Amino acid sequence: MSNLLERLRRRGWRMTAQRRVVAEVLDGEHIHLTADEVLARATERLPEISRATVYNTLGELASLGEVIEVSSVGRAKRYDPNAHRAHQHLVCAGCGTVRDVHPEGDPMVGLPDTERFGFTVTGVEITYRGLCPVCGAAAPEEGPESD
Amino acid sequence: MSNLLERLRRRGWRMTAQRRVVAEVLDGEHIHLTADEVLARATERLPEISRATVYNTLGELASLGEVIEVSSVGRAKRYDPNAHRAHQHLVCAGCGTVRDVHPEGDPMVGLPDTERFGFTVTGVEITYRGLCPVCGAAAPEEGPESD
DNA sequence: CTCCATGCAAAAGGTTTGCACTCCC
DNA sequence: GGGAGTGCAAACCTTTTGCATGGAG
């Protein structure tokens, strides 16, 4: 289950119409919206919602650990509600599509102690880059390159 | 090896005073400057250099593959000249310090075929998060406060 | 001599902030 | 009813762009 709203309510998160709409818009799988996209979708359901509220809410959800800020795709941050299952991202260089993918083991073991420089390592973000089936077929050898 | 300027010259890159200064400022290990920091350091040596030229030059170095754009630290992109040795980043959540770390094997094997959804995977970026020795000691169980 | 690179400044995103007003708990 | 949440708009930060000038090859 991925009921973000439910989880938030259970945490005693103060609920308003705006917050509910933002949480609803974010809920789901393979959701990686920008703040602007969240605003657009939220506005469809609640025309009076403001950009500032969207940013406030997204920032709060992020610091609650209920959504993850993804900054490795495009200039604008994206917000990923799949915060309760460890996963990584697979990004298409052609169309920007982002898929959630799941690790086989703990990716943090990939960093040996000798490479930690005394850091306490608490997390790891992995972004795979490539071409999705559609973009890979559309530009097998005439992609965005110029030798 | 670490001589970015030399490499660029060898590639027939058109050389100007501005481009030389940008390349010099970027050269080295564990260098992860923002465009603004590059501009500041470049201005010390060449006061008439402009912000637009710094951006032009950084963008060009990135598309030449001579520097890597790192977007996972803070709001501004950072530019990493260590483009010729596969590596990953270790970022301190307290002070923002970035260290280059080196993988044991090929991190791309971590993504099984069953998780590729038909994508052609061409690369992977890994960012480890944690606390550096200084920040870890300063705030062992409290938030990083800098007051 | 010919382009390409540069400088300037304005504009284009994307995000944050200050403040008065609203309304959830 | 109190204080957190909201809306509005301006400020801010980062990056891009247009155009005339200048310098590398």
Side-chain angles (χ1 to χ4, degrees), chain B residues 7 10 18 48 60-61 67-68 79 87 93 107 109 121 138 144:
Chain B
R7 229 181 293 127
R10 221 172 275 140
Q18 291 86 342
E48 66 267 35
E60 197 165 329
L61 291 176
V67 306
I68 296 168
Y79 294 86
H87 70 284
V109 306
V121 179

Side-chain angles (χ1 to χ4, degrees), chain A:
Chain A
M1 274 301 270
S2 66
N3 200 326
L4 177 57
L5 205 51
E6 184 89 8
R7 229 182 294 127
L8 290 166
R9 217 187 301 267
R10 220 172 276 141
R11 291 182 68 161
W13 196 54
R14 187 166 192 167
M15 190 55 63
T16 67
Q18 292 84 344
R19 288 173 161 213
R20 179 178 4 263
V21 169
V22 170
E24 285 171 0
V25 156
L26 280 174
D27 206 6
E29 301 205 4
H30 301 288
I31 299 292
H32 309 90
L33 300 173
T34 63
D36 208 60
E37 290 165 345
V38 171
L39 174 61
R41 299 189 184 196
T43 299
E44 291 173 9
R45 306 191 198 177
L46 187 69
E48 67 269 33
I49 194 171
S50 76
R51 182 178 303 276
T53 294
V54 169
Y55 274 104
N56 285 342
T57 305
L58 291 173
E60 196 164 330
L61 291 176
S63 56
L64 285 173
E66 295 290 350
V67 306
I68 296 168
E69 291 186 346
V70 178
S71 51
S72 50
V73 187
R75 52 227 154 219
K77 281 188 228 166
R78 290 175 177 276
Y79 294 85
D80 178 349
N82 188 6
H84 292 288
R85 181 177 177 198
H87 70 284
Q88 306 148 0
H89 293 126
L90 175 54
V91 181
C92 177
C95 59
T97 295
V98 182
R99 302 253 355 180
D100 288 355
V101 294
H102 299 92
E104 295 193 300
D106 179 0
M108 245 156 74
V109 307
L111 185 65
D113 282 334
T114 54
E115 287 287 305
R116 298 196 178 198
F117 300 99
F119 278 57
T120 307
V121 179
T122 55
V124 57
E125 289 161 32
I126 304 186
T127 306
Y128 296 96
R129 307 271 178 189
L131 286 174
C132 72
V134 174
C135 293
E141 52 194 84
E142 57 175 300
E145 91 170 66
S146 48
D147 58 322

Side-chain angles (χ1 to χ4, degrees), chain B residues 30-104:
Chain B
H30 301 287
I31 299 293
H32 310 89
L33 301 173
T34 63
D36 207 60
E37 289 165 346
V38 171
L39 174 62
R41 298 189 185 196
T43 300
E44 290 173 9
R45 307 190 196 178
L46 187 69
E48 66 267 35
I49 194 172
S50 76
R51 181 176 302 274
T53 294
V54 169
Y55 274 103
N56 285 342
T57 305
L58 291 173
E60 197 165 329
L61 291 176
S63 55
L64 286 173
E66 294 291 351
V67 306
I68 296 168
E69 292 185 346
V70 178
S71 52
S72 50
V73 188
R75 57 229 154 214
K77 280 188 228 166
R78 291 175 178 277
Y79 294 86
D80 179 349
N82 187 8
H84 292 289
R85 181 177 178 198
H87 70 284
Q88 307 149 359
H89 293 126
L90 175 53
V91 180
C92 176
C95 60
T97 295
V98 182
R99 302 252 358 179
D100 289 354
V101 294
H102 300 92
E104 294 192 299

